[in-house]
Amino acid sequence: AVVSTQSTGDIIVQNSTSTETEVKLQESIRGKEVYLIQSGSKRVNNDVFELLTMVYACRTSCARKIVAVIPYLPYSQQCRMRRRACITAKLIAKMMCTSGVNHLITMDLHQREIHGFFDCSVDNLRSSPFLLQYILDNIPNYRDSVMVARHPSATRRVSSYAERLRVNFAVIHGELKEEEEQELDGRTSPPPTPASIGRSNMVYQSPFVCSYPTHLPNIQHKIKPSLSLVGSVQEKIAIILDDIIDDVEPWSLLAGFLKDRGAKSVYAMAPHGILSGDAVQHIDKSCLDKVIVTNTVPLSKELSSNPKISVVDVSKMFAEAIRRIHNGESMSKLFTNITQD
């Protein structure tokens, strides 16, 4: 939807029979400040292109300023180089800025370094005040809980939550952590042979191929350690924390692992709940007592009505951010005394 400084704008977004996205503005936005609200969902590619088309439509209609409000930034997990993979988050940022985005409002980016991908201003809001308040209000005896990082890279975020709740934290380490796959990618391929280049009737050795490759040490392959827990959850309430819950199966396996280590109950918590695949079935069959997410990603009716899934409303944070940006006020108050990434 398009949101102007006064009221909701009138716009038509539709797909033609050939699945092409068509955007029609039904009112003049010349010289106005436009806020486009579009979050990632399970139709991520369609969502991205709809946003880009709406931004470009506003730009060609002479909007004074275009602010994209994207609670969950799609492709944010693809923000670093893995083997020969593409850093797709950089591509998304470039397309948004090229289409005409002047300012981006989002929440809990997968990595803070994604800020640098954008050539426009970025405000990365935090959901931690709302999630912490949920713990205080809805988890009985939260003082008897332990914040758990599901992999070592989430330790900083988890320790920040634990400090504000005045509780301990633990870290899961082992075979379920994210790491590079061990497929062959050419790194251990044999050295190239000297090449011959033919030109007319002359054949000569290519100067660009080394006949005597430099000897390098053998590559030490990674070996996944067995699953282990750094810390204790014995007779405690375990709250597993990360930034995204997508595939629920690894979370359910970790819940069973923590229950085997003596946890009384296990909660899963994350700002962004994508909950793809057979999420409902995995949650119902798992040892998870509760899955807590925010409403940055729209959930289906089946998911939102599940008694084991709680959705925390963070719309007030975005409303305040939009108000401050429109009035030219400082945004620092929204980042005071909050948890770290």
Side-chain angles (χ1 to χ4, degrees):
V2 176
V3 180
S4 70
T5 57
Q6 298 296 328
S7 60
T8 303
D10 189 5
I11 185 173
I12 296 177
V13 181
Q14 60 187 11
N15 292 327
S16 64
T17 54
S18 61
T19 70
E20 292 182 355
T21 300
E22 185 178 3
V23 174
K24 295 180 180 179
L25 294 171
Q26 302 297 104
E27 61 180 277
S28 174
I29 58 171
R30 181 179 296 273
K32 294 184 179 180
E33 187 175 357
V34 179
Y35 292 84
L36 294 168
I37 303 175
Q38 176 82 303
S39 190
S41 68
K42 293 180 176 60
R43 302 182 308 130
V44 59
N45 293 328
N46 187 73
D47 295 339
V48 169
F49 201 77
E50 272 189 5
L51 175 65
L52 296 176
T53 309
M54 287 190 291
V55 170
Y56 191 70
C58 294
R59 176 185 174 185
T60 55
S61 297
C62 301
R64 176 171 56 85
K65 182 179 181 181
I66 303 173
V67 181
V69 183
I70 311 176
Y72 167 64
L73 183 66
Y75 290 98
S76 60
Q77 296 183 82
Q78 300 183 39
C79 60
R80 59 175 180 169
M81 178 63 71
R82 284 181 176 271
R83 299 281 174 97
R84 294 188 177 95
C86 173
I87 306 178
T88 315
K90 172 73 170 180
L91 174 63
I92 295 295
K94 285 295 183 184
M95 289 194 298
M96 288 184 183
C97 294
T98 302
S99 62
V101 172
N102 305 119
H103 197 130
L104 172 67
I105 305 175
T106 185
M107 178 170 279
D108 287 315
L109 289 172
H110 186 61
Q111 297 289 339
R112 290 185 300 173
E113 290 74 16
I114 296 177
H115 276 233
F117 294 166
F118 289 87
D119 296 329
C120 62
S121 303
V122 178
D123 283 311
N124 182 26
L125 306 178
R126 303 290 193 272
S127 63
S128 55
F130 299 91
L131 295 178
L132 288 169
Q133 192 62 45
Y134 179 91
I135 294 175
L136 296 176
D137 296 339
N138 297 279
I139 298 182
N141 302 323
Y142 74 91
R143 294 282 189 185
D144 197 28
S145 64
V146 175
M147 302 299 300
V148 181
R150 63 184 295 258
H151 47 77
S153 60
T155 303
R156 184 177 181 182
R157 181 193 302 268
V158 170
S159 63
S160 186
Y161 273 69
E163 290 171 0
R164 281 157 176 77
L165 293 172
R166 309 294 191 269
V167 298
N168 293 326
F169 73 93
V171 181
I172 296 175
H173 177 68
E175 59 183 5
L176 290 180
K177 69 174 184 175
E178 298 178 1
E179 65 176 353
E180 297 178 348
E181 299 177 359
Q182 296 294 338
E183 77 274 5
L184 296 176
D185 67 344
R187 296 186 185 187
T188 57
S189 302
T193 56
S196 297
I197 301 177
R199 183 176 297 173
S200 301
N201 295 326
M202 300 177 60
V203 178
Y204 60 96
Q205 295 294 107
S206 171
F208 302 105
V209 180
C210 179
S211 301
Y212 305 98
T214 305
H215 175 72
L216 299 175
N218 294 328
I219 298 176
Q220 301 298 322
H221 294 288
K222 294 180 181 179
I223 299 177
K224 293 182 179 180
S226 58
L227 200 64
S228 61
L229 179 67
V230 181
S232 175
V233 294
Q234 185 70 34
E235 296 299 320
K236 297 286 186 178
I237 301 171
I239 304 175
I240 310 174
L241 181 67
D242 205 356
D243 63 324
I244 299 172
I245 301 180
D246 187 0
D247 184 9
V248 181
E249 187 174 5
W251 292 75
S252 61
L253 294 175
L254 292 179
F257 171 76
L258 294 175
K259 285 287 183 74
D260 293 339
R261 293 299 183 276
K264 294 189 297 184
S265 57
V266 180
Y267 293 77
M269 176 176 285
H272 307 300
I274 301 176
L275 303 177
S276 59
D278 300 327
V280 175
Q281 289 76 10
H282 283 303
I283 292 173
D284 290 337
K285 295 178 182 178
S286 70
C287 299
L288 289 168
D289 294 270
K290 205 77 167 177
V291 176
I292 306 158
V293 296
T294 70
N295 57 346
T296 56
V297 178
L299 298 181
S300 65
K301 185 177 180 180
E302 184 182 13
L303 287 169
S304 58
S305 61
N306 191 297
K308 295 183 72 174
I309 300 177
S310 293
V311 181
V312 180
D313 183 21
V314 294
S315 59
K316 292 181 180 179
M317 180 70 80
F318 286 96
E320 179 63 15
I322 292 173
R323 188 192 69 80
R324 287 176 176 271
I325 290 173
H326 174 64
N327 294 328
E329 299 178 17
S330 173
M331 296 285 288
S332 60
K333 185 174 177 57
L334 300 183
F335 300 98
T336 304
N337 296 324
I338 61 171
T339 61
Q340 300 179 6
D341 291 340

